[in-house]
């Protein structure tokens, strides 16, 4: 006599088997759990941690896989696939972007140490990021932007940062006044820069994208990398 095949529990069965004591006697419930005084909150309890681990390790059925496969493979309503990713930052009043692939990290603002006989020309000095020294370059100087012309604050704090950019084995620290974050967009959605844009900046742009209320100038990566390397010579 053969034994019946062993089947894995479904997602629903496994979910129901997890005792959600935090909803009954924990912080969300009546708070009668005898472990609560010691742990203060359920998220600090080993029972909660084991339940979370079990939930994350639950088996995935074919219907769940199919649902998310369809979700991520679906095109946007406008038919343009968001095939490009950029990091958006601000210098002065200008919101600009470079591809995320050229950045190694984002670091807190630091005052550069000036190099002897190398004042001006876009090279601000050297800065320490994570125990290593990098040339600190002024994109504002290169692009002809008044970095002190900041827009009026709109209910949010702004923090100046350093972006560590890598181009052809050379790294550069780029000071920026604010950081918006990563934006995905369709490469085909790039628009031509406005004719009223200053010529110093417009020649470095490959196009413009729109993100909510922001008009973002996408910088020509190769041209920016070449000009930054030239300033080090």
């Amino acid at each position: 006599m053969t034994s019946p095949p062993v089947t894995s529990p479904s997602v629903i069965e496994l979910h129901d088997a997890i005792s959600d004591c935090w909803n009954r006697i924990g912080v969300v419930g009546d708070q009668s759990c005898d472990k609560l005084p010691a742990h203060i909150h359920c998220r600090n309890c080993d029972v909660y941690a084991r339940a979370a681990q079990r939930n994350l390790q639950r088996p995935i059925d074919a219907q769940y896989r199919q649902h998310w496969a369809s979700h991520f493979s679906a095109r946007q309503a406008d038919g343009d696939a968001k095939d490009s990713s950029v990091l958006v930052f601000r210098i002065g009043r200008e919101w600009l972007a470079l591809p995320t692939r050229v950045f190694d990290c984002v670091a807190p603002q630091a005052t550069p140490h000036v190099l002897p006989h190398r004042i001006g020309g876009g090279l601000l000095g050297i800065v320490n990021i994570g125990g290593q020294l990098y040339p600190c370059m002024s994109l504002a100087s290169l692009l002809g932007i008044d970095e002190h012309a900041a827009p009026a604050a709109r209910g949010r704090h702004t923090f100046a940062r350093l972006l560590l950019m890598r181009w052809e084995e050379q790294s550069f620290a780029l000071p920026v006044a604010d950081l918006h974050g990563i934006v995905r967009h369709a490469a085909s959605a790039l628009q031509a820069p406005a004719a009223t844009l200053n010529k110093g900046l417009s020649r470095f742009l490959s196009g413009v994208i729109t993100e909510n209320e922001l008009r973002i100038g996408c910088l020509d990566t190769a041209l920016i990398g070449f000009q930054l390397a030239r300033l080090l010579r």
Side-chain angles (χ1 to χ4, degrees), residues 179-202:
L179 187 67
H180 178 73
I182 295 175
V183 171
R184 293 188 61 84
H185 68 94
S188 59
L190 278 177
Q191 304 168 10
T196 55
L197 199 64
N198 78 73
K199 301 302 180 183
L201 174 58
S202 62

Side-chain angles (χ1 to χ4, degrees), residues 98-99 139 142-143 165 167-168 172 199-206 218-231:
L98 280 165
L139 276 182
L142 177 63
L143 302 175
M165 173 187 173
W167 177 255
E168 294 185 348
F172 307 94
K199 301 302 180 183
L201 174 58
S202 62
R203 73 187 186 93
F204 287 98
L205 296 182
S206 58
C218 293
L219 296 170
D220 185 313
T221 312
L223 185 55
I224 291 292
F226 172 79
Q227 291 295 334
L228 290 175
R230 185 181 62 84
L231 292 174

Side-chain angles (χ1 to χ4, degrees), residues 36-76:
L36 198 56
H39 294 296
I40 307 301
H41 196 284
C42 293
R43 61 172 171 260
N44 303 319
C45 178
D46 57 342
V47 175
Y48 187 89
R50 286 197 300 269
Q53 185 177 31
R54 188 177 181 187
N55 186 49
L56 291 173
Q57 293 176 343
R58 68 192 187 277
I60 299 176
D61 58 25
Q63 183 179 2
Y64 181 91
R65 291 176 185 272
Q66 181 60 39
H67 169 75
W68 285 106
S70 300
H71 171 78
F72 287 114
S73 63
R75 282 185 172 272
Q76 299 294 319

Side-chain angles (χ1 to χ4, degrees), residues 103 105 107-108 110 112 122-129 132-139 161-166 170-176 228:
F103 292 106
C105 72
L123 176 59
L124 301 175
I126 56 174
V127 290
N128 186 325
I129 300 178
Q132 296 189 45
L133 298 179
Y134 297 95
C136 187
M137 316 299 292
S138 173
L139 276 182
R161 293 175 174 85
L162 288 175
L163 306 182
L164 189 59
M165 173 187 173
R166 183 178 297 276
Q170 175 63 57
S171 296
F172 307 94
L174 308 176
V176 298
L228 290 175

Side-chain angles (χ1 to χ4, degrees), residues 79-108:
D80 294 328
K82 294 185 176 181
D83 52 3
S84 299
S85 173
V86 294
L87 184 64
V88 178
F89 51 90
R90 179 175 60 79
I91 299 176
R93 290 183 172 273
E94 302 292 343
W95 284 101
L96 305 168
L98 280 165
T100 54
R101 67 177 183 274
V102 304
F103 292 106
D104 286 340
C105 72
V106 177

